[in-house]
């Protein structure tokens, strides 16, 4: 249970780091604001068009008498909008990270440099390649999240557990994958692909949930997500350093006067960046 508190601690530390670095905070806010405007426009369009879509999709109900026609289509319209809102919430972080990839890469690198005496791992890949990998992995995550989301949405109609257990499970699932999206910024700079990233996070599941679940609750309000995003990226980078043992290495270097030699066999060591400790064999892709 200690990991739950430690995960939440990284969330708080990340917000403090962003608040104490005004330039990084300002840069990190831009992608969230852009994405928020896009999503608000999409949801407004959905609100105006959902009833027409339901009418088009249910021609068999045209001959129903009142009030059954109105009740049936009204329920489906509300369901379509609720599903659209749910998908907006769970995809907001992924789209924001994709839009703000260069901004968050820099912010995450700034955190690494601040924590390791000016060194930061770099992938060594061109920007277009990083964007492609980010988009591909985000799509894979969204497919997983959509599957779990639809499954849990259906289970939500089951009496008793649908109103108690299922929402709790839903926030845990959302929190885990939200943490994955955020830690991906730092882990991709270290050359780690999606599968070993998921294995790494599962190895410290409570730590990840302690970080991701409170953030998922806050991110349920997209406007809040905009302002918390820079600190969330910073906190995720700090958590990555813990998961990979880099915090301990940094402390050891500090104790020895900064003369400790870095391990050069890790993936992600690029020009101008510091290499990362090698992963355990079970976490390698």
């Amino acid at each position: 249970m200690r990991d739950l508190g430690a995960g939440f601690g990284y969330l708080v530390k990340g917000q403090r780091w962003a608040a104490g670095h005004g330039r990084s905070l300002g840069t990190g806010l831009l992608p969230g604001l852009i994405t928020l405007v896009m999503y608000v426009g999409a949801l407004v369009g959905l609100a105006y068009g959902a009833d027409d879509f339901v009418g088009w999709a249910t021609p068999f109900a045209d001959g129903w008498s009142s009030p059954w026609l109105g009740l049936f289509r009204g329920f489906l319209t509300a369901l379509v909008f609720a599903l659209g809102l749910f998908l907006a919430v769970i995809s907001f972080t992924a789209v924001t990270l994709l839009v703000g990839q260069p901004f968050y890469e820099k912010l995450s690198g700034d955190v690494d440099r601040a924590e390791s005496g000016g060194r930061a791992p770099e992938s060594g890949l061109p920007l277009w390649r990083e964007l492609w990998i980010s988009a591909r992995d985000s799509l894979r995550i969204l497919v997983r999240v959509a599957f779990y989301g639809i499954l849990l949405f259906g289970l939500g109609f089951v009496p008793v557990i649908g109103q108690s257990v299922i929402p709790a499970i839903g926030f845990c699932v959302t929190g885990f994958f939200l943490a994955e999206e955020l830690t991906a910024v730092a882990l991709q700079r270290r050359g780690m692909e999606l599968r070993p990233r998921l294995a790494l996070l599962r190895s410290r599941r409570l730590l990840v949930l302690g970080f991701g679940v409170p953030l998922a609750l806050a991110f349920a309000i997209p406007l809040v997500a905009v302002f918390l995003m820079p600190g969330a990226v910073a906190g995720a980078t700090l958590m990555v350093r813990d998961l990979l043992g880099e915090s301990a290495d940094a402390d050891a270097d500090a104790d020895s006067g900064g003369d400790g030699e870095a391990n050069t066999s890790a993936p992600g060591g690029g020009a101008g960046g510091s290499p990362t400790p090698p992963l355990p064999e079970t976490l390698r892709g």
Side-chain angles (χ1 to χ4, degrees):
M1 296 298 290
R2 183 180 300 175
D3 267 359
L4 283 174
F8 182 74
Y10 282 118
L11 179 59
V12 174
K13 290 176 183 177
Q15 298 303 322
R16 288 177 177 171
W17 192 96
H21 296 76
R23 180 174 298 179
S24 296
L25 176 62
T27 302
L29 288 174
L30 290 176
L33 291 172
I34 294 171
T35 308
L36 178 64
V37 171
M38 292 167 51
Y39 270 64
V40 168
L43 288 174
V44 169
L46 180 62
Y48 278 103
D51 53 346
D52 293 333
F53 171 77
V54 169
W56 169 82
T58 57
F60 59 86
D62 288 341
W64 291 11
S65 60
S66 180
W68 305 115
L69 176 62
L71 290 174
F72 175 68
R73 286 184 170 169
F75 171 75
L76 289 182
T77 299
L79 193 63
V80 167
F81 186 79
L83 183 59
L85 184 61
F86 173 75
L87 292 176
V89 170
I90 64 174
S91 64
F92 183 85
T93 302
V95 174
T96 302
L97 288 171
L98 183 59
V99 171
Q101 179 78 12
F103 300 97
Y104 295 135
E105 287 275 355
K106 182 180 183 305
L107 192 155
S108 178
D110 289 343
V111 174
D112 273 322
R113 279 184 283 273
E115 294 296 314
S116 59
R119 298 173 298 170
E122 299 291 344
S123 67
L125 298 174
L127 178 60
W128 70 267
R129 178 67 177 167
E130 290 184 347
L131 289 174
W132 163 249
I133 293 173
S134 179
R136 181 197 64 191
D137 290 349
S138 293
L139 181 60
R140 291 174 177 173
I141 290 296
L142 285 178
V143 169
R144 286 175 168 87
V145 173
F147 169 77
Y148 285 117
I150 293 171
L151 177 63
L152 293 173
F153 186 81
L155 292 175
F157 292 98
V158 178
V160 183
I161 67 167
Q163 294 74 46
S164 54
V165 178
I166 299 303
I169 295 175
F171 274 112
C172 288
V173 171
T174 303
F176 180 87
F177 285 113
L178 178 60
E180 194 287 326
E181 288 286 346
L182 290 165
T183 54
V185 177
L187 289 173
Q188 282 180 197
R189 288 192 298 104
R190 289 158 168 82
M192 192 178 295
E193 296 287 339
L194 177 59
R195 186 172 296 178
R197 289 206 309 263
L198 290 172
L200 176 66
L201 297 181
R202 288 171 186 145
S203 71
R204 297 283 298 277
R205 201 182 300 269
L206 289 179
L207 179 72
V208 173
L209 291 178
F211 178 85
V213 172
L215 201 56
L217 291 168
F219 275 26
I221 307 173
L223 186 61
V224 173
V226 171
F227 293 100
L228 294 185
M229 184 64 81
V233 173
T237 304
L238 293 172
M239 187 169 67
V240 163
R241 295 180 60 81
D242 179 12
L243 288 168
L244 296 178
E246 293 178 14
S247 297
D249 289 349
D251 292 341
D253 286 348
D255 291 341
S256 63
D259 295 329
E261 294 185 6
N263 190 319
T264 58
S265 62
S274 63
T276 322
L279 292 174
E281 192 66 34
T282 55
L283 299 182
R284 293 181 181 175

